[in-house]
Amino acid sequence: MTPAELAEVVLSAAHAVFTDRGLDSSVLPGRTAVERPRNPEHGDYASTLALQLSKKVGVPPRELATALAEQLGRAAGIKSVEIAGPGFLNIRLDAAAAGQLARSIVEAGPAYGRSTALAGQKINLEFVSANPTGPVHIGGVRWAAVGDALSRLLRATGADVGTEYYFNDAGSQIDRFARSLLAAAKGEPAPEDGYGGAYIAEIATEVRTRRPDVLELADDAAQEVFRVEGVALMFSEIKSSLRDFGVEFDTYFNEKDLHDRGELDQALARLREQGHVFDTDGATWLRTTDFGDDKDRVLRKSNGEWTYFAADCAYYLDKRERGFDRVVIMLGADHHGYIGRMRAMAACFGDDPAVTLEILIGQLVNLLRDGQPVRMSKRAGTVVTLEDLVDAIGVDASRYALARYSSDSPIDIDVELWTRATRDNPVYYVQYVAARTASVGRNAAEVGLIRGDAEAFRPELLAHDRENDLLKALAEFPAVVATAAELREPHRVARYLEELAGAYHRFYDNCRILPRGDEEVTDLHRARLWLNDATRTVIANGLRLLGVSAPERM
């Protein structure tokens, strides 16, 4: 029995009690929840429904809890119900009801943990969005891991998600990039405000291979060639690096398209219609202070140039007009000041930013080797890149390490820890369970132990305390997935998997799955194999949500 199924039983019991007593059933919720008590001695699950309803119907909570407990005690699968404190219900399942979960998980397979909690929501999720002036640095890699995991979580809970990478192939940063490429091609030092690193020389060489005549052009014309060709090469490399990291986007959106399609003018017109635009000193402004911003924002400068903020406005409007109900944007720690202006901008369009806009801020990441920060990439020259991280600890460990912590917390990634084949390496600890459960399955087949027909499964045999603990841990997975998606916190899945791994190891150490020597295969062996395979399913499903593999061998 899953927590959701038990919650339905509790609610059904409440309906019965209210009917028997002639109480107003309209106060009953459409759904309720049960939770695991902090102290396992208090039972398998707890419910506060009696406390929630007592005032509404004028019945003391313990009296209502007593009636609920009596009704629940008659329900199939309930072993006992105790009343604690002012009216808490502590519920114990019988072994058969608890053990049935193992079969449910195995039969559900990859679908276990999925739900429709966010069905009907159409979400645009933008992350990474680094300009193509260099390889993806470690801060961007964090968003690649977290953003991709979040997209998987949102889809697993029923949301319609479009992932997006926003980039700009114009502007001052791209000009500096082009001048740096031209200088490298000429064998000159990088401009004072330019980009350094071996990748600049590599791209410059590739551009010259494509355009052998480029240095025969005037500097302005040559710089334009390096801009167009260099950006294309750099962005192709970024896409390739992210693809190798397991991250691909539904849409790669170029800011230039907003200008070419006249969308900045359209956004400005819409904002004027809403009454929040004003002109002064030859410039055009958006009165964002009407919605809590610390100052009004320029949309168009007095020289006629659009600001980056104007493009932000047009891009937000573009997403909304593509049918997205909610725009989620992941930004680095240096963009914290964007939150107020972006929320105000959404309000200027007539939207409720609490509903249509969500901005997540990610903190810094440090890569440590021998306890000391790795300061820069050999190739990029100024930053630690995606390739540096992957070269140091691998794709799986990188993705897991970056998704394991709350995004609003800075993290240090210790190369020695994350490459260690020991239990203190979190990704190894979890993946080892994936491999061990697979190994148990192979070894079982060799000795003639198979799960057998589901109808012959004896869930009541899974009565050991460690079996019960593992079943309760497995039952939590759907709720963990739903909460992680709702709160935009993939790290909850990683921490859950580590707890589940611990529960499995304790089960494995105390409950022998395979028969010894010539020992006859029993129903208990088969029941435990169901539980083993259920664990394999949940570990694999959880790791898949993080974009991490569930190896069959290690």
Side-chain angles (χ1 to χ4, degrees), residues 312-333:
D312 289 338
C313 294
Y315 187 37
Y316 170 81
L317 183 61
D318 181 276
K319 290 177 177 179
R320 294 284 287 125
E321 292 190 335
R322 278 187 273 148
F324 290 104
D325 308 308
R326 192 169 187 86
V327 173
V328 181
I329 307 172
M330 297 180 159
L331 299 172

Side-chain angles (χ1 to χ4, degrees), residues 263-272 277 284 299-300 306:
E263 292 193 42
L264 278 78
D265 289 298
Q266 295 168 22
L268 176 58
R270 178 74 63 87
L271 291 167
R272 279 195 189 277
V277 172
T284 302
L299 295 172
R300 199 170 215 162
W306 293 103

Side-chain angles (χ1 to χ4, degrees), residues 324-393:
F324 290 104
D325 308 308
R326 192 169 187 86
V327 173
V328 181
I329 307 172
M330 297 180 159
L331 299 172
D334 56 339
H335 287 75
H336 203 279
Y338 276 54
I339 297 176
R341 76 188 72 168
M342 293 292 286
R343 288 177 62 85
M345 172 265 289
C348 287
F349 276 118
D351 286 344
D352 179 354
V355 174
T356 63
L357 179 65
E358 188 174 344
I359 298 178
L360 307 177
I361 299 294
Q363 294 299 322
L364 300 176
V365 182
N366 294 308
L367 183 63
L368 305 181
R369 181 177 280 111
D370 299 325
Q372 298 299 315
V374 177
R375 294 292 182 188
M376 63 183 63
S377 165
K378 293 177 181 178
R379 183 164 180 263
T382 54
V383 294
V384 177
T385 68
L386 187 160
E387 286 78 7
D388 295 321
L389 181 61
V390 171
D391 286 347
I393 66 174

Side-chain angles (χ1 to χ4, degrees), residues 197 225 453:
V225 170
D453 190 290

Side-chain angles (χ1 to χ4, degrees), residues 247-267:
V247 178
E248 293 198 58
F249 292 85
D250 298 318
T251 302
Y252 294 91
F253 195 105
N254 190 344
E255 181 187 335
K256 186 174 180 293
D257 291 340
L258 295 171
H259 293 264
D260 293 346
R261 296 196 296 248
E263 292 193 42
L264 278 78
D265 289 298
Q266 295 168 22

